[in-house]
Amino acid sequence: RFPEFGFDGLIKCVFSGFEARLCAGANGVKTKELRLHPYLFPTGLSGEPTFAPGGNPKLDAQKFWQNVRRALLRKPVDRIGLGGYLHLVEPFPDFCDYIEKVTDEFRLLKSFHQSGAPYVIPGKVAILTAWGALRSWTCSGHLHEHPEVDLINVLESLSGLPFEVEFLSFEDIKTNGISKDIKVIINAGILNSAWSGGDAWKDEQIIEILTEFVANGGGFLGIHEPSACDFSSQFFQLAPILGVDKDLGTKKCLGKYQYSVQPNHFITAENSELNLPVCEGIFVLGKNVNVLAEKNKTPILTEHQFGKGRSIYLSGYRYGIENTRLLMRAILYAGQQEEAVRYYICSNPMTECAYYPAAEIIVIINNSGDLQKTSVQTMDGKTIQAVLEPYDIEIISPFIQNTKS
């Protein structure tokens, strides 16, 4: 509704990648600006020193920019800025030098987008909530204020991954069905939340549409309490698709299927340990469900073939570099696109890249505070090697000399 308000610009203060995507994806606004952190104040939001004795604003800026930059590889904005009291930066020349570096990176990334959009893996990933597109790239405020909301953590990971993301409501799929270009649908949340869906799961038409989608070859990724609604004999209304359900205490007299953990799988191939919360009461429905990881004798990651499609269950989700790679592989597996992991994906999970076909440029970023070595395979058979300093960026192009920003 921005056009009817007559706004000519949108300024979004950002800590995270999903906030950058929220601003970049707003419609009907001519100019979009990100207001970067740390703000030029003596202390941060929690009272920790920033531009004050004991503070390290350069390190703060590096960590915030690392989150925002990976999102800007995917979608651009027009401007960046800072807010606060300018005189506070005078005792911190290293911060001033780093912000100069950030602005150079920003201008460079913006110029690549002007030539055309970056490569994305074919097909769409859809986020299914009660709100749909009305709350694209957001649900419960800042990530740092709501660390236990699964969906906001999922959005943070998705903000920098090479997927086209669409936001659907339950009314959308009832009215329009599910378009053929959607490969995977994600539903994440807890019982009675707008993110999981609440009473929408009492609608048999919703169940029929999603069951048909997966049976015909689609992918479904459920997180924490997907399709949860306490009104029938099953708690997860898509339990037959997921292959798991949750016991609220009413099934203790029934024997549970005794599973074994499958140690080697495409989804977990790059994760030696899984940092996922436990959702108590989860049980497996039968032998056709593969448990890929457990914690405290409770499944935390499963996969299930349903008809021609695939479903994945995660007991919860928290944003992190390792979990982002896990989520990417789970989406590719659910969408039956395992081969896509070979191209324009960094070999080192601590690094990420974006390929701009029109400009023939590959941008590689280091998301960690350590030196990282990585490689990227292109579709024409080339393998690109890179060594990146902490939080650094490298631009690789056949037309210009490779540069490190």
Side-chain angles (χ1 to χ4, degrees), residues 45-316:
L45 290 176
S46 303
E48 72 281 2
T50 303
F51 292 93
N56 188 346
K58 177 189 175 183
L59 180 60
D60 294 339
Q62 285 178 315
K63 292 179 178 179
F64 287 128
W65 179 241
Q66 172 260 314
N67 290 335
V68 172
R69 179 177 60 186
R70 60 187 296 271
L72 292 181
L73 289 181
R74 298 291 151 197
K75 291 290 182 180
V77 297
D78 301 292
R79 305 190 310 211
I80 56 174
L82 293 165
Y85 303 100
L86 285 175
H87 71 279
L88 292 177
V89 307
E90 292 180 13
F92 300 94
D94 60 335
F95 172 82
C96 298
D97 292 341
Y98 182 70
I99 294 302
E100 182 180 4
K101 180 179 185 297
V102 166
T103 56
D104 288 340
E105 286 185 15
F106 171 76
R107 295 186 186 104
L108 197 59
L109 297 181
K110 181 180 175 181
S111 71
F112 298 156
H113 282 286
Q114 290 171 349
S115 65
Y119 164 81
V120 293
I121 294 167
K124 292 181 180 179
V125 176
I127 307 295
L128 178 63
T129 68
W131 289 99
L134 190 59
R135 290 200 176 184
S136 298
W137 292 109
T138 188
C139 64
S140 296
H142 291 313
L143 175 65
H144 68 281
E145 293 175 352
H146 301 275
E148 296 183 359
V149 177
D150 295 287
L151 182 56
I152 209 71
N153 285 268
V154 170
L155 296 181
E156 183 64 14
S157 287
L158 281 175
S159 69
L161 288 177
F163 297 113
E164 184 177 352
V165 181
E166 184 172 335
F167 293 82
L168 296 177
S169 70
F170 294 93
E171 286 301 317
D172 289 335
I173 65 173
K174 282 186 65 175
T175 303
N176 305 313
I178 300 171
S179 64
K180 295 185 182 300
D181 57 354
I182 291 176
K183 291 284 188 181
V184 178
I185 293 176
I186 297 176
N187 180 243
I190 61 173
L191 174 67
N192 293 329
S193 68
W195 323 122
S196 177
D199 286 346
W201 294 110
K202 295 179 179 179
D203 190 332
E204 61 187 30
Q205 187 179 353
I206 295 293
I207 307 301
E208 291 171 358
I209 291 170
L210 290 169
T211 300
E212 183 179 18
F213 168 73
V214 180
N216 288 338
F220 186 83
L221 175 55
I223 301 174
H224 199 166
E225 293 181 337
S227 73
C229 192
D230 188 15
F231 87 111
S232 69
S233 61
Q234 56 194 37
F235 184 62
F236 293 167
Q237 302 310 303
L238 296 184
I241 294 175
L242 291 164
V244 298
D245 204 351
K246 181 174 180 176
D247 181 9
L248 302 181
T250 59
K251 296 182 172 63
K252 292 193 180 298
C253 62
L254 303 178
K256 303 269 192 320
Y257 177 77
Q258 298 301 307
Y259 60 83
S260 57
V261 177
Q262 182 176 334
N264 301 312
H265 196 275
F266 174 83
I267 297 175
T268 56
E270 295 182 271
N271 294 73
S272 56
E273 295 184 9
L274 299 190
N275 180 25
L276 300 175
V278 175
C279 184
E280 298 292 346
I282 297 297
F283 63 95
V284 173
L285 295 182
K287 64 181 181 180
N288 294 326
V289 180
N290 291 321
V291 177
L292 308 185
E294 67 171 0
K295 191 178 291 184
N296 303 332
K297 297 184 179 181
T298 299
I300 60 172
L301 172 58
T302 67
E303 65 99 349
H304 179 226
Q305 185 83 28
F306 184 83
K308 297 178 182 178
R310 292 171 174 174
S311 69
I312 312 293
Y313 174 74
L314 290 173
S315 58

Side-chain angles (χ1 to χ4, degrees), residues 12-35:
K12 178 78 180 77
C13 63
V14 290
F15 297 87
S16 308
F18 77 86
E19 296 170 310
R21 293 295 298 268
L22 172 62
C23 182
N27 295 318
V29 179
K30 181 180 179 181
T31 304
K32 302 169 186 177
E33 177 180 324
L34 302 182
R35 195 62 57 84

